[in-house]
Amino acid sequence: MKPKFKGKHFITLEDWKKDEIETLLDVSQDLKQAFLTNKDTNFLKNKSAFLMFFEQSTRTRNSMEAGLAQLGGHANFLDTATMQISHGETGKDTAVILSSYGHGIACRNCFWEVGNKFISEMAAHASVPVMNLQCDLYHPFQGLADLMTIREVKGKTDNLKVSIIWAYATSHKKPISVPLTQSLLFPRFGMDVVLAHPKGYEMPDWVIEKAKKNAKENGGSFTVTNDMEAAYKDADIVIPKNWGSWASNTSDDVIDAVLEANRHWKCTEAMMALTNPDCNYMHALPADRGNEVEDSVIDGPQSIVYQEAENRLHTAKAVMAMTMGNK
Ligand code: CP
């Protein structure tokens, strides 16, 4: 029988069936338990993966590097500025060569209208699984860790009002890949998802159509609003986070008039007071403290951001073990 997971690319969770995602969540939970009880998990003994980064990272890089070591393998960190890619070597040639040296290739490339194409080009030519460490469109490792965290904290995923809310930030013009991934993924698990943003921060039309289709097929719902307070009202989970206006404005400029007109889109104690009393605050991190969120919220009792970040380790290990392993 053909192995179900070995060699499968992990570029978007849209390519993974619901039962396959459930398996990844179960394996993540098992690996979390094994980590906490110091059990051996040498499922990838003598195996190597290459981690290519076009951008900065704390969680993604370290969850993959530490995770692969804990699985008995080795991760090669590659700053793409020091690779021949920076002299124009193609994704195809890079993928063919790295495939011959190891067992997995992972890449972060968030450049708008470039990143997903580059990672997909590598996947088309690699003979090992290619893992997306975040591109301009998707952040599947983040989506999986978010799903695991919601399931752990709430004990279920269906019939939850989960609000993905744009927030003001000035640190850099962030990709849309985190809210896009959540918008497509969460309705598949029965959540009632509200996507809230000011005018100018729309998701591409195909994302809205696909999110609604995913909701209809799986008993969830997906609505879009420009009303911030409506998104907070009676929410079970809020995910206020900045993203850039990439779908309507491809400029790299971080600060512009549209951004500045929306400084009030901040997660405050007053906004949290509109939610259900047991509502949780989530954020993929890094957070732009003071702009996206008040310290008293992100450091407060409703925040589950550190559990969410910790679960990046266990989900990274599950994806590597399942796609680079033997079964
Ligand atoms: N959430 C996330 O991807 O964090 P890093 O950018 O630090 O990897």
Side-chain angles (χ1 to χ4, degrees):
M1 197 169 79
K2 194 169 178 286
K4 195 171 177 184
F5 294 98
K6 189 182 179 192
K8 189 171 169 65
H9 299 311
F10 189 71
I11 294 177
T12 165
L13 287 161
E14 288 292 291
D15 292 339
W16 286 63
K17 295 192 192 83
K18 211 172 144 182
D19 70 300
E20 293 171 337
I21 297 171
E22 296 275 12
T23 301
L24 287 178
L25 290 173
D26 291 344
V27 173
S28 302
Q29 211 68 58
D30 289 348
L31 287 167
K32 183 170 187 171
Q33 188 63 24
F35 181 72
L36 296 175
T37 53
N38 207 25
K39 291 218 173 79
D40 278 348
T41 52
N42 289 322
F43 303 120
L44 296 178
K45 193 160 178 274
N46 297 330
K47 299 213 170 178
S48 313
F50 301 96
L51 313 183
M52 299 165 51
F53 281 85
F54 285 81
E55 288 98 4
Q56 301 88 334
S57 168
T58 296
R59 281 142 289 272
T60 306
R61 173 181 173 177
N62 290 293
S63 59
M64 295 290 287
E65 282 200 42
L68 191 44
Q70 291 160 22
L71 292 169
H74 173 73
N76 252 31
F77 170 75
L78 298 166
D79 175 348
T80 55
T82 67
M83 294 177 73
Q84 296 294 5
I85 288 169
S86 63
H87 289 154
E89 187 162 27
T90 63
K92 173 189 171 183
D93 290 352
T94 305
V96 171
I97 305 304
L98 293 182
S99 292
S100 71
Y101 295 164
H103 308 87
I105 299 171
C107 181
R108 169 172 284 192
N109 184 338
C110 297
F111 292 108
W112 182 249
E113 294 183 328
V114 172
N116 187 260
K117 288 193 181 89
F118 180 83
I119 294 171
S120 299
E121 181 196 345
M122 287 207 298
H125 298 285
S127 57
V128 296
V130 170
M131 292 163 273
N132 179 1
L133 300 178
Q134 187 176 19
C135 68
D136 49 333
L137 300 179
Y138 304 111
H139 197 350
F141 281 102
Q142 187 64 52
L144 191 63
D146 292 343
L147 194 57
M148 178 181 182
T149 308
I150 291 170
R151 202 171 71 158
E152 280 181 336
V153 172
K154 298 297 190 192
K156 63 173 190 174
T157 58
D158 55 341
N159 298 317
L160 295 171
K161 178 176 175 179
V162 178
S163 296
I164 302 162
I165 307 170
W166 185 90
Y168 174 81
T170 56
S171 52
H172 65 289
K173 188 167 175 179
K174 299 176 179 45
I176 62 172
S177 44
V178 171
L180 192 161
T181 297
Q182 294 164 339
S183 293
L184 295 183
L185 179 65
F186 293 169
R188 294 176 69 192
F189 287 82
M191 298 181 208
D192 296 314
V193 176
V194 176
L195 177 70
H197 58 78
K199 291 200 168 84
Y201 292 93
E202 288 75 19
M203 286 284 143
D205 290 343
W206 66 265
V207 176
I208 305 303
E209 283 161 29
K210 191 74 175 65
K212 286 184 175 165
K213 185 167 179 285
N214 287 353
K216 197 168 173 195
E217 288 172 357
N218 293 283
S221 64
F222 183 80
T223 53
V224 184
T225 180
N226 299 131
D227 184 338
M228 176 172 58
E229 296 196 4
Y232 279 96
K233 182 131 183 38
D234 299 328
D236 298 299
I237 291 177
V238 291
I239 314 176
K241 186 196 175 305
N242 179 258
W243 63 84
S245 53
W246 294 107
S248 58
N249 174 8
T250 57
S251 159
D252 287 328
D253 292 348
V254 178
I255 297 174
D256 60 20
V258 183
L259 179 79
E260 286 307 306
N262 292 293
R263 293 180 83 101
H264 59 290
W265 281 70
K266 180 194 282 197
C267 183
T268 60
E269 286 188 49
M271 285 299 117
M272 291 302 289
L274 299 174
T275 67
N276 274 342
D278 60 354
C279 177
N280 292 110
Y281 166 88
M282 296 178 72
H283 192 298
L285 302 179
D288 191 341
R289 284 170 176 257
N291 282 326
E292 287 181 295
V293 59
E294 287 178 346
D295 282 346
S296 57
V297 174
I298 193 169
D299 295 326
Q302 289 169 290
S303 174
I304 53 173
V305 295
Y306 295 134
Q307 183 173 344
E308 182 182 2
E310 183 201 323
N311 284 336
R312 292 293 308 275
L313 172 71
H314 311 301
T315 46
K317 286 163 74 173
V319 172
M320 288 190 283
M322 298 300 287
T323 62
M324 293 168 57
N326 291 318
K327 295 226 180 340

